[in-house]
Amino acid sequence: MIKLVATDIDGTLIKDSTPDLYPEMVKIVRELIAQGIVFCAASGRQYDSIKNVFRAIEEDIVVIAENGAQIRYQGKDISVTPMKREYVEAIIKQLREYNRNCDIVVSTPNGCLLESTNKEFIDLMAFGYRNRFTLVEDVLAEDAQIIKVSIYQKESIRELGENVLIPAWEDKVKACMAGDEWVDFMDSSVDKGHALAFVQEYFGIKKEETMAFGDNHNDIGMMHQAGESYAVENARKEVKQAAKYICPSYLEKGVYQVVKSLINS
């Protein structure tokens, strides 16, 4: 019997950077909750962005934000994992070398900090992801608890991420691709799978009572932590290998189809 359903957002549930969730999914989540099943949105997005996507039902779901660095339930943090300051400073100084073509986002539990002057990127943060952010001249000059550092490059940063950035940092922090356009850096203990394990323990739910959906490298931990794991059809090859099942892509509302079948059964 499934007691917990967890899903990634971008590329799994909806198109990357989309601000809205389709009505059928909102309805089916309400039905899950009515049946006593915990629903969890697990994303590399910041909390406010996820809250906006699920704004009709946000108070009733668990939110795994920033790849697991922040977990919130009913408006309160139940887990926050900050990064080591020395690593934050070193990562940001390296990322600034690519700033002509890339943008840096520094996440805190209360929103994010941007050094960017790129209007297109700022608009993406404001109107695409619906992030809460503050524009600053120097993120390192701010007195903030930093839980994630991200670098963005329009269309694709995969070559830089997989060949340079991730190899340079993977033995010190958790470094991963979060879609084709993002590389994320968190504390080494941060992982969506670890976050899902925390949620399972919090609610007293077993791995075999958990269903999870994902599409990208940062979802692989969830695939391993769920007894019933699904990679959407458009998922990366490694995610499909880690998952138990393959379901239709977000274009065909694959998560909705599977969850609807769960409800009907």
Side-chain angles (χ1 to χ4, degrees):
M1 179 180 177
I2 298 299
K3 296 181 180 179
L4 169 61
V5 174
T7 182
D8 171 54
I9 298 176
D10 295 284
T12 299
L13 190 59
I14 52 179
K15 183 181 178 182
D16 285 4
S17 75
T18 303
D20 301 312
L21 186 62
Y22 49 91
E24 304 98 301
M25 194 66 204
V26 174
K27 181 180 178 182
I28 211 74
V29 172
R30 285 195 172 119
E31 291 183 29
L32 285 175
I33 294 167
Q35 292 192 17
I37 298 172
V38 177
F39 181 84
C40 178
S43 177
R45 293 194 190 204
Q46 69 157 242
Y47 169 71
D48 284 280
S49 178
I50 302 170
K51 179 180 178 180
N52 176 74
V53 173
F54 291 90
R55 54 191 175 272
I57 46 177
E58 186 271 332
E59 286 295 322
D60 298 317
I61 70 173
V62 178
V63 174
I64 293 176
E66 312 287 13
N67 290 318
Q70 182 179 21
I71 307 174
R72 288 178 70 91
Y73 179 56
Q74 295 184 334
K76 297 180 181 178
D77 285 329
I78 57 176
S79 177
V80 174
T81 307
M83 296 180 70
K84 292 180 180 179
R85 183 71 186 190
E86 62 190 279
Y87 291 155
V88 168
E89 292 181 0
I91 290 168
I92 289 174
K93 287 174 183 177
Q94 181 181 2
L95 298 187
R96 282 172 174 166
E97 298 174 10
Y98 310 104
N99 219 16
R100 287 185 179 181
N101 300 312
C102 303
D103 289 281
I104 301 169
V105 180
V106 173
S107 297
T108 81
N110 300 304
C112 59
L113 307 172
L114 307 180
E115 290 183 0
S116 181
T117 57
N118 178 351
K119 185 179 184 303
E120 183 180 4
F121 178 71
I122 293 170
D123 286 347
L124 176 67
M125 293 294 98
F127 307 114
Y129 288 105
R130 302 286 176 91
N131 279 6
R132 177 162 55 136
F133 61 85
T134 303
L135 292 172
V136 298
E137 289 188 11
D138 181 359
V139 294
L140 295 178
E142 301 297 313
D143 182 19
Q145 184 183 48
I146 295 171
I147 59 176
K148 190 183 76 176
V149 177
S150 301
I151 183 168
Y152 169 89
Q153 186 175 50
K154 186 178 179 180
E155 298 190 355
S156 182
I157 196 173
R158 193 168 290 279
E159 183 177 352
L160 177 62
E162 292 182 342
N163 296 331
V164 179
L165 298 176
I166 293 174
W169 288 101
E170 61 186 355
D171 62 335
K172 301 178 184 69
V173 301
K174 180 63 181 291
C176 62
M177 298 297 305
D180 286 335
E181 299 174 324
W182 293 94
V183 182
D184 289 343
F185 305 85
M186 295 79 56
D187 183 78
S188 58
S189 66
V190 170
D191 181 85
K192 285 188 185 181
H194 296 162
L196 187 57
F198 178 92
V199 173
Q200 289 166 337
E201 183 176 0
Y202 188 88
F203 288 97
I205 295 172
K206 299 175 183 177
K207 177 179 176 179
E208 55 267 30
E209 296 171 330
T210 304
M211 178 180 287
F213 300 86
D215 78 308
N216 221 309
H217 291 123
N218 59 340
D219 298 315
I220 290 175
M222 288 204 300
M223 301 297 98
H224 293 154
Q225 192 58 36
E228 299 295 295
S229 56
Y230 290 80
V232 288
E233 184 56 50
N234 55 288
R236 299 288 296 178
K237 176 182 67 177
E238 299 86 346
V239 184
K240 290 181 176 180
Q241 291 171 345
K244 188 175 180 180
Y245 308 105
I246 308 296
C247 71
S249 75
Y250 71 88
L251 292 169
E252 300 174 80
K253 301 180 179 177
V255 175
Y256 169 76
Q257 291 186 41
V258 175
V259 175
K260 185 179 180 180
S261 296
L262 172 66
I263 289 290
N264 291 339
S265 66

